[in-house]
Amino acid sequence: MNHLRPSRRPGHRRGTATASVLLLPLAVTALTACSDDGDTAAPPVASPAATASGARCVTKPIAPEAGAADPAGQPAATGVYTVDSGTRKAPRRKTFTAHRADRSAVLVSGPGRLSLYDAKVTKEGGASARAVADGRGVNAGLLARDGGLLDLSGGVYYTTGKGSSGVVATGGKSRATMSGGGINAQGASSHGVLASYGGALDLTYVQIVTMGAQSAPVATGPGGGKVTVSGGTMTSAGCGSPGVHTSGDVSLSGTLFDLANSEAFTLEAGGSLSLKNVRATAAAGGVVLRGGGRTSYRMADGALLATDGDLFRVRRSTAEIELTGGAEVKTKGGALLRVGEMADATFRADDEKLRGSVLVADGSTADVELTGSTVLDGRVRGASLTLSGAARWSVAGTSSLKGLAFGDGRSTDGVAKKVARAIDGNGYAVTYDPASSPQLGGRSYRLKDGGTLKPA
């Protein structure tokens, strides 16, 4: 079988990740990418500064959930090769092709099951309605819906039209598994893989490349879904195309991401993203958590490296962020954590080295909890800070805390000793809210290496 070689540990493949971005123009020439207006051209490339500011490349929110499986007046899913019952195995290296709009090359619906080995799938033609393409997977290269099961081993899957995702699982009990092989989605609004309305996807050592705008390699659409990814490489070149765009549950392990014109990951309301030993490099910031609901991001080991923009940005969301295992998070510009309007964030870090500001907008809240040997080097404005164990804060600018507390790890020390051991003032003034900082007793304290801690 034409399987890809298993990825090595992401920490040892930084050179490979960079090379994949440099080779993207070759892929465009060979496969003919589609621009936003439908012309055949390479996708626009925004500068990191323009992308980070939102001037050109903004990831659009996931569309709200529709009430009906196929809304009235919208096209229904069809396929050139269809399975709607029984179990079938296609011959090895079989070719599947679809040219018409709104027609998939392969369609499996419940209770059908189809296995493909080293297949070649080519899907041309754009979707006539973006809503059903993004939500129900109409016009996908391969589509499992309403309980259908797809089992993919190796193979190459190409899509070239707008709204033409590579592999989609939509509807309860629908599932697609893929081991090895690669997906190349060229058009705008064309994800590598998409799970929606309770569908599930399992990927192992898969390579995904997307070229169009609003085309995440991994996505969950309206109604949520579940995606598990082990190993593999994910690359996007289009504007507003994060590595993962989710309102469902996504788990990643040992995967490598290169995002040329987007933030690394975007979580919408209800979305959760769990990373273990994942390495991501992005041109326009790290993680965006937004929407009128809860979001959750957990990262163990690995690296999140942003050329520009904030590492973590929370907007109109109740967000939980957790870093453990020595995860490397860095940006050349922007804040470590920025909490915008109408948002609440909980940020936990254990045994981490963190650099950057924590900035909270008026009317929003953030609880920053540092444990183990975590060191934060930055200024803090508007957040509540808890320091436990051997955690330290090196103040990098005039700061104002909503609250300050010390965990049980220093319970035998007096307050003045806790302050001296946990905070390096570096000559800066820090104020705190006495009502939210009962341990401090409303007093002022001298900080190590200069500076003061005093009530506001």
Side-chain angles (χ1 to χ4, degrees), residues 69-98:
D70 290 305
Q74 299 292 349
T78 62
V80 174
Y81 184 88
T82 63
V83 178
D84 57 14
S85 63
T87 298
R88 298 188 192 177
K89 291 184 179 181
R92 188 182 294 263
R93 299 186 179 90
K94 184 174 177 62
T95 297
F96 302 86
T97 304

Side-chain angles (χ1 to χ4, degrees), residues 20-387:
S20 66
V21 174
L22 297 176
L23 290 172
L24 286 176
L26 298 179
V28 176
T29 302
L31 297 173
T32 311
C34 294
S35 65
D36 288 347
D37 60 7
D39 294 333
T40 56
V45 177
S47 66
T51 306
S53 68
R56 289 184 60 186
C57 294
V58 177
T59 303
K60 296 179 181 178
I62 292 173
E65 183 173 357
D70 290 305
Q74 299 292 349
T78 62
V80 174
Y81 184 88
T82 63
V83 178
D84 57 14
S85 63
T87 298
R88 298 188 192 177
K89 291 184 179 181
R92 188 182 294 263
R93 299 186 179 90
K94 184 174 177 62
T95 297
F96 302 86
T97 304
H99 300 286
R100 287 174 47 185
D102 303 324
R103 174 167 288 189
S104 295
V106 175
L107 170 62
V108 180
S109 57
R113 177 166 186 163
L114 174 65
S115 297
L116 302 182
Y117 298 89
D118 298 333
K120 181 178 179 180
V121 174
T122 302
K123 170 67 183 93
E124 300 173 350
S128 61
R130 178 180 171 183
V132 289
D134 286 349
R136 294 295 175 181
V138 172
N139 203 55
L142 300 96
L143 174 60
R145 59 170 291 161
D146 302 328
L149 302 177
L150 267 172
D151 186 5
L152 310 174
S153 182
V156 288
Y157 311 106
Y158 298 102
T159 67
T160 60
K162 289 183 181 178
S164 185
S165 297
V167 178
V168 176
T170 181
K173 296 184 180 180
S174 296
R175 188 182 192 93
T177 63
M178 183 173 176
S179 176
I183 297 170
N184 194 310
Q186 296 285 301
S189 301
S190 299
H191 305 296
V193 296
L194 170 69
S196 64
Y197 297 102
L201 292 160
D202 291 295
L203 310 180
T204 305
Y205 297 122
V206 174
Q207 289 186 350
I208 297 178
V209 175
T210 66
M211 299 300 294
Q214 311 298 325
S215 301
V218 176
T220 67
K226 185 174 183 179
V227 182
T228 302
V229 181
S230 299
T233 60
M234 312 286 166
T235 303
S236 76
C239 293
S241 301
V244 174
H245 189 188
T246 182
S247 58
D249 299 325
V250 178
S251 299
L252 310 170
S253 176
T255 310
L256 188 66
F257 287 87
D258 272 307
L259 301 318
N261 280 292
S262 179
E263 68 273 15
F265 307 113
T266 298
L267 284 74
E268 307 285 358
S272 67
L273 179 57
S274 175
L275 292 75
K276 183 177 181 181
N277 195 26
V278 169
R279 189 177 187 89
T281 59
V287 183
V288 176
L289 305 98
R290 66 186 184 189
R294 293 188 174 275
T295 53
S296 173
Y297 177 89
R298 289 176 170 80
M299 180 177 183
D301 202 354
L304 175 63
L305 309 175
T307 302
D308 206 344
D310 302 325
L311 278 170
F312 298 95
R313 187 178 184 91
V314 182
R315 297 182 58 215
R316 298 177 182 270
S317 177
T318 300
E320 292 187 9
I321 301 166
E322 182 178 287
L323 307 177
T324 61
E328 180 184 7
V329 292
K330 291 182 179 179
T331 180
K332 292 182 180 179
L336 169 66
L337 172 66
R338 189 184 301 271
V339 181
E341 69 279 5
M342 300 176 64
D344 300 292
T346 300
F347 183 97
R348 301 184 182 93
D350 184 59
D351 293 332
E352 298 292 328
K353 293 182 179 179
L354 306 173
R355 180 183 293 272
S357 299
V358 176
L359 307 174
V360 183
D362 293 341
S364 295
T365 65
D367 294 317
V368 178
E369 303 172 8
L370 308 181
T371 59
S373 60
T374 297
V375 177
L376 169 62
D377 183 357
R379 67 187 181 102
V380 179
R381 185 186 71 197
S384 295
L385 178 63
T386 301
L387 301 167

